[in-house]
Amino acid sequence: MGVSVKKIAVFASGRGSNYEAIQQQIDKGKIKAQTVCVISEHASPPVFEKAKSRNIPTHFINRKQFKNGDEYVAELIQILAGYDTDYILLAGYLKLIPAPLVKAYENRMINIHPALLPNFGGKGFYGMNVHRAVVESGVSVTGITIHFVNEKYDQGNVILQKEVSVHADDTPEEVAAKVLQLEHRYFPEVVRLLCEDKIKILNNKVIIEDE
Ligand code: GRF
């Protein structure tokens, strides 16, 4: 029995290089998925251009557009349900995901974090803040963490971590560049496995069944 094509929605706030890396693998047929939409809390982030160039729908959804949190989350859920979304990928999305949405996509929403969680994670640890903190702390290793999203910031079950060395004279920008290379290599790989139903949760532990 073949694996069906999964429908994924991408949440992204800005540049969208991870989205691009994933989309390229989808376009090549390496990932059995279809991107149903890209959602951002910004009106026209660069990631929207990347999606629009492939005729993928984009949605600008910001909490401030709604009277209250309930209406905001209801709209998000309605959009996602309208596309029959199987999985949500957070690819550089800076807003906290509302709890009812986390619940609705339990074990079906993943995030990439540019450090080795549980270190350098949580509130305020995003973008260059992470890499500056890594360099300032003097650690010799950093990396990426790809994890399921739960109600607690950066604390869901870990799917994959990959490391890269930090040298004594590395700048935060140099660390960021090394980490981004890992992201572009492994985020598409995890999405591929997810879409092939090869990532399972058993007794609260992630099991990857590959090949
Ligand atoms: C990445 O470093 C990712 O780990 C973090 O946000 C950044 C997004 O970069 N969550 P991009 O928009 O995919 O280029």
Side-chain angles (χ1 to χ4, degrees):
M1 199 181 69
V3 176
S4 61
V5 171
K6 300 294 192 300
K7 294 180 177 166
I8 60 174
V10 175
F11 282 47
S13 298
R15 185 175 55 180
S17 70
N18 276 286
Y19 162 65
E20 181 67 31
I22 292 163
Q23 188 65 54
Q24 282 180 7
Q25 297 303 309
I26 292 174
D27 295 348
K28 284 186 198 156
K30 299 255 159 70
I31 299 176
K32 306 276 178 291
Q34 174 201 352
T35 307
V36 291
C37 67
V38 176
I39 293 179
S40 183
E41 81 280 24
H42 296 305
S44 51
V47 67
F48 275 7
E49 295 315 310
K50 295 182 163 81
K52 283 178 180 157
S53 72
R54 294 168 166 104
N55 294 319
I56 291 168
T58 58
H59 297 273
F60 163 41
I61 308 286
N62 190 297
R63 166 70 183 86
K64 295 193 184 113
Q65 299 159 329
F66 301 88
K67 276 206 297 279
N68 56 53
D70 287 351
E71 286 186 13
Y72 163 59
V73 75
E75 173 73 3
L76 283 170
I77 288 176
Q78 198 186 329
I79 289 173
L80 294 162
Y83 290 114
D84 272 336
T85 305
D86 295 303
Y87 292 111
I88 298 174
L89 311 181
L90 306 184
Y93 188 65
L94 296 177
K95 289 279 167 213
L96 191 65
I97 300 294
L101 186 55
V102 173
K103 191 98 199 93
Y105 284 84
E106 198 177 8
N107 296 333
R108 296 195 295 146
M109 189 185 316
I110 68 175
N111 180 45
I112 184 156
H113 186 77
L116 297 171
L117 292 174
N119 297 322
F120 306 107
K123 210 170 160 50
F125 282 104
Y126 61 87
M128 285 306 293
N129 293 351
V130 175
H131 307 300
R132 264 185 236 113
V134 162
V135 167
E136 276 166 25
S137 75
V139 292
S140 58
V141 175
T142 186
I144 59 168
T145 304
I146 300 170
H147 63 95
F148 284 107
V149 175
N150 68 9
E151 326 69 54
K152 293 182 208 126
Y153 228 4
D154 288 339
Q155 285 184 33
N157 273 314
V158 170
I159 301 168
L160 185 80
Q161 292 190 301
K162 288 286 169 186
E163 297 181 352
V164 67
S165 299
V166 181
H167 303 302
D169 57 351
D170 277 351
T171 63
E173 288 73 20
E174 286 166 335
V175 172
K178 290 195 267 195
V179 168
L180 198 62
Q181 276 192 1
L182 285 182
E183 295 191 36
H184 294 166
R185 175 158 172 212
Y186 289 104
F187 202 9
E189 181 59 11
V190 166
V191 175
R192 177 183 74 79
L193 292 165
L194 194 67
C195 292
E196 290 176 9
D197 300 322
K198 287 180 174 158
I199 302 182
K200 307 259 159 69
I201 299 193
L202 258 182
N203 299 328
N204 212 29
K205 286 228 164 64
V206 174
I207 315 273
I208 300 181
E209 301 166 347
D210 197 19
E211 260 74 83

